[in-house]
Amino acid sequence: MNQTLSNFLSQIVLVGAELLIGFAIFWVGQFTYQKLFRRVELNLELFVRDNPAVAIALVGYYLGIVTALAGALDKTGNTWQEQLLNLISYGAGVIVLMLVGAWVGDRFILRRCDTAREILEEQNVGAASVEAGVHIANGLILSAALAGESGGWLVGLVCWLVGMAVLILVSSLYPRIARYSVFGEICRRNNPAAGVALAGLLVATGNVVRVAFTPDFQNWPQSFTQYLVGLGICLLALAAIRWIADLVLVPGVKISDEIVHQSVPNLGAGLIEAFAYIAGSFLIAWSL
């Protein structure tokens, strides 16, 4: 009985220590985002200027960190000290890769926009939504890349690089599928519906990448063949989602027309398209 009680108390202490470290990682993450990446005074933007775009981008970044930490928390150690050290080291890696992923989003996904200006000066909700989508997708990819007991940092880094490349590819192909100038709508027209729709696609893409990279690493040829085949199947299924959304969710209405061809873009249509992508990614995940 005493041994059982001792184990129970030890587990409580360990969970408490993990929570404290998790919150510390979270605080460092938001501090580096504020001071190194966006270089913004959050109190000024959120509570003086009442800038909704900053809030949207920041919440997306927070969600990305929380999601990514799932992979770090999945690590176990032979002792409680080793387990906590694993959490600290992987948490530090999460912060670094979240910041690099944010830079990738600015330079390669929203490359047609001056994202900082759009969010801070223009209060562009569409651009902020896309940035939030990049952060959440990055967190989903990291949660799989850093999870599991096999492979280590090298495998995780390669998986993360592949995932980010997929995000860039999907964002580049999306305007051809949507059949309108997606980034023109977001950056020049400040179209929130277009931004929300693209954000939904990015989150869904991050989710299917997470699913494809979930199996434990065995060896390079076998595992990466499995990863890439699974990823290809998931992306092909995701490509059909928008057509299905038009056909099933809003029969008789073209979502693109609602997003683009109105004097006031239909934010509801953008939300429905985003929902279709995200819901579809979970259906794909559950069916595999």
Side-chain angles (χ1 to χ4, degrees), residues 249-262:
L249 295 181
V250 284
V253 176
K254 287 188 68 64
I255 292 178
S256 294
D257 290 341
E258 294 296 313
I259 292 175
V260 179
H261 300 137
Q262 296 198 92

Side-chain angles (χ1 to χ4, degrees), residues 1 45 52-53 57 59 75 80 92-93 96 137 147 173 175 181 197 210 226 235 240 257 259 270:
M1 185 68 177
E45 292 294 332
V59 168
K75 297 289 181 181
W80 66 268
V96 171
L173 294 176
S181 176
R210 176 189 65 82
Q226 181 183 7
L235 290 175
D257 290 341
I259 292 175

Side-chain angles (χ1 to χ4, degrees), residues 6 12 14 48 51 61-62 73 102 160 163 168 173 182 195 219 288:
S6 177
I12 290 177
L14 178 60
V48 177
N51 188 336
Y61 182 75
Y62 288 166
L73 289 168
W160 176 78
I168 295 169
L173 294 176
V182 173
N219 56 65
L288 293 178

